[in-house]
Amino acid sequence: MDTGGIAAGSLEVMDAFRAEFEKAEVDARIEKHCAMHQVGCRGFCDRDVLVDITIDGERTTYQYVKPDMVPRLVMEHIVSGSPVEEWRVGDDYHKFYTLQKKVVLANNGKIDPENIQEYIDLGGYETVRRVLTEMAPAEVIETIKASGLRGRGGAGFPSGLKWEICASKEAVPKYLICNADEGDPGAFMDRSVIEGNPHTMIEGMSIGAFAIGAPTAYVYIRAEYPLAVERLKIALQQARERGFLGKGIHGSTFDFDIKVKLGAGAFVCGEETALIASIEGERGMPRAKPPYPADKGLWGKPTIINNVETWANITPIMKNGAEWFASIGSENSKGTKVFALTGKIRNTGLIEVPMGISLRDIIFDIGGGIKGGKLLKAVQTGGPSGGCIPQQHIDLKVDYESLKSVGSMMGSGGMVVLDETDCMVNITKFFLEFTQAESCGKCTPCRIGTKRLLEILTRITEGEGKKGDINLLVDLANDVKDSSLCGLGMSAPNPILSTIKYFRHEYEAHIHQKKCPAKVCRKLLTFFIREDLCVGCGMCKKNCPVKAISGEPKKAHRVNTAVCIKCGACYDICKFSAVLKE
């Protein structure tokens, strides 16, 4: 049960099972080992609440489970042994997982994240014990380098090389940080890993700390993730009780412990130097680089920062070997990548795919295609600072180099699907609103530049665009990109540049024809009522805030466009599709 599952009602479903078990005396009637346990995110959030019933090793999965469905599941399936066929998942559920490859999420949905024993029973913490007793730190670093693992936080810097640089520094103590300040709108990859299997991250951090010689680590996690914070603290305490953290971990001579630092949710604190400043008690603002954190990081000491997904990859690599990991993915992007697949897609959820898979495979095979049978327009990757990839690049490989070649980026793993009803100018304004609001204000190009960019986009979407605005946007976007201090400012213009590159005609329609081709920007629309469809119910007239609609009951109504403020209330309220916009 993760945050999404709980929002869908999983706690109520679990309570219903407990009550029904007691009522039906399941323990006595079935077997003494009958048990129920919670698990983390399974990935297919769109089908929550998901329930597995396993009898004699045969698992049956049910979807959209509600509390009132539980009595029948208990009596027919658990007591009588007959699965409830109409509630079982179908072939589309299994197809969602067919092209996925689970490395980071391998045990999500299997173990109870609040029970360390379930992780240990699957071999958990055995890898770090072996590393500590059989390997030298340099061997660990060489293994990570050979694996080709690149940081999953966005920049894609080779992890092993970063570790090697840090380990080579003479300054002590060294520090290790897990960046769990996942700030992209719609992204929930790192949160799901911590909520579903926090021990895989802890074990990976323990291996990394041994490799660079860091006795102390921090997990910087936003306070807006209360369940993840709670489960992380439980996992850390259980690990300490087992001797997996603290003095002489796993019976070795290596001391290592992890502290938790709560962030206040500032997007800029996802940037490593701003994050370090926040841990140090300073305002979360970026610092000029170099020096990089591997040289001078937390409190001026050599520091390694990787995000949750990167740390969660370490144990599988050390367990299965660098060659195994390097065999997954594309030439320069090894392993898998976790994405939060959202937007106008049938199957929303958390997915893990091998690097190099095509956008087509993700959207149409895993995602099930576009909702409502509409046409795909674009895919936005890389979070609010990423780019919009048009439909004609649907066969693009999803790896670091390919995404960059079309003006986008990997980012931390947000993937938003857009359809034909989305206005690319309006979408771009949405992302600029976010990055402008999240600018820390330290450097002028980002503080002022993003504000000016947003003002221009707002004018365009409100019908006040001027000749020359497109070139002005491009010039200013490039200036902000080239002169900002940190990654937030450097990447904030990406949505503008990519949408102008691929959807310039939409900008031109807004500016020159005062039209929104997708019929989204309301100040560019005209609302009218089709007399042959209007039944005269009066709902549009009743809900019009400026009394722009007239008409008698049971007779066709009309919109006075001279009075209409284009709020769209009539369009939204009409049940007969009689109100149109153009």
Side-chain angles (χ1 to χ4, degrees), residues 130-400:
R130 182 177 58 79
V131 166
L132 287 167
T133 56
E134 300 177 8
M135 297 182 74
E139 292 179 275
V140 178
I141 292 174
E142 285 303 318
T143 302
I144 299 302
K145 284 174 64 180
S147 74
L149 176 67
R150 298 168 66 172
R152 299 302 197 240
F157 191 82
S159 301
L161 178 59
K162 187 195 285 189
W163 290 18
E164 186 177 56
I165 293 170
C166 185
S168 69
K169 303 300 177 185
E170 294 183 358
V172 292
K174 294 181 173 67
Y175 291 101
L176 185 147
I177 295 173
C178 174
N179 183 351
D181 192 56
E182 188 173 51
D184 292 0
F188 49 94
M189 302 79 62
D190 291 348
R191 189 199 74 204
S192 296
V193 171
I194 296 176
E195 289 181 351
N197 185 10
H199 294 288
T200 190
M201 181 190 73
I202 294 171
E203 186 173 5
M205 291 177 70
S206 301
I207 294 170
F210 171 71
I212 66 167
T216 305
Y218 288 83
V219 176
Y220 187 88
I221 182 170
R222 51 182 50 219
E224 295 159 319
Y225 283 178
L227 182 62
V229 172
E230 179 185 349
R231 287 184 175 167
L232 174 60
K233 290 181 176 178
I234 291 172
L236 290 172
Q237 183 56 36
Q238 291 177 346
R240 291 189 189 98
E241 292 170 357
R242 298 285 184 125
F244 300 162
L245 293 174
K247 293 286 184 183
I249 65 172
H250 299 276
S252 71
T253 59
F254 181 61
D255 301 337
F256 175 63
D257 208 343
I258 300 174
K259 301 179 181 180
V260 176
K261 172 69 176 178
L262 299 185
F267 182 65
V268 73
C269 285
E271 198 279 337
E272 55 187 8
T273 61
L275 184 155
I276 286 172
S278 180
I279 292 178
E280 292 173 340
E282 303 293 330
R283 182 176 176 182
M285 295 178 113
R287 299 166 181 169
K289 294 184 285 188
Y292 292 94
D295 186 9
K296 290 185 178 180
L298 188 61
W299 289 298
K301 302 298 182 182
T303 303
I304 286 298
I305 301 181
N306 284 126
N307 79 334
V308 174
E309 186 180 344
T310 310
W311 289 121
N313 268 298
I314 300 302
T315 302
I317 292 172
M318 298 308 300
K319 178 180 180 181
N320 300 305
E323 189 174 334
W324 163 80
F325 188 81
S327 70
I328 306 168
S330 59
E331 183 177 357
N332 295 310
S333 300
K334 303 300 185 184
T336 62
K337 182 73 190 79
V338 180
F339 288 100
L341 185 61
T342 59
K344 306 291 181 60
I345 192 90
R346 283 196 178 96
N347 303 332
T348 58
L350 192 73
I351 65 171
E352 183 174 5
V353 292
M355 293 278 197
I357 190 173
S358 72
L359 280 173
R360 183 187 296 279
D361 286 340
I362 292 178
I363 294 170
F364 290 99
D365 286 338
I366 297 174
I370 310 302
K371 270 184 179 177
K374 293 192 167 52
L375 298 176
L376 171 69
K377 178 180 263 188
V379 182
Q380 204 272 350
T381 66
S385 302
C388 293
I389 305 166
Q391 186 274 339
Q392 57 261 38
H393 289 301
I394 187 65
D395 291 312
L396 184 79
K397 288 182 178 180
V398 178
D399 59 28
Y400 290 100

Side-chain angles (χ1 to χ4, degrees), residues 13 16-17 19-21 23-24 26 53 65-80 84 87:
V13 169
F17 269 105
E20 204 62 28
F21 283 171
K23 180 181 171 183
V26 167
I53 294 178
V65 177
K66 303 295 182 187
D68 61 3
M69 298 162 66
V70 172
R72 186 177 169 192
L73 289 173
V74 171
M75 294 310 297
E76 290 190 20
H77 191 165
I78 297 176
V79 174
S80 301
V84 183
W87 293 344

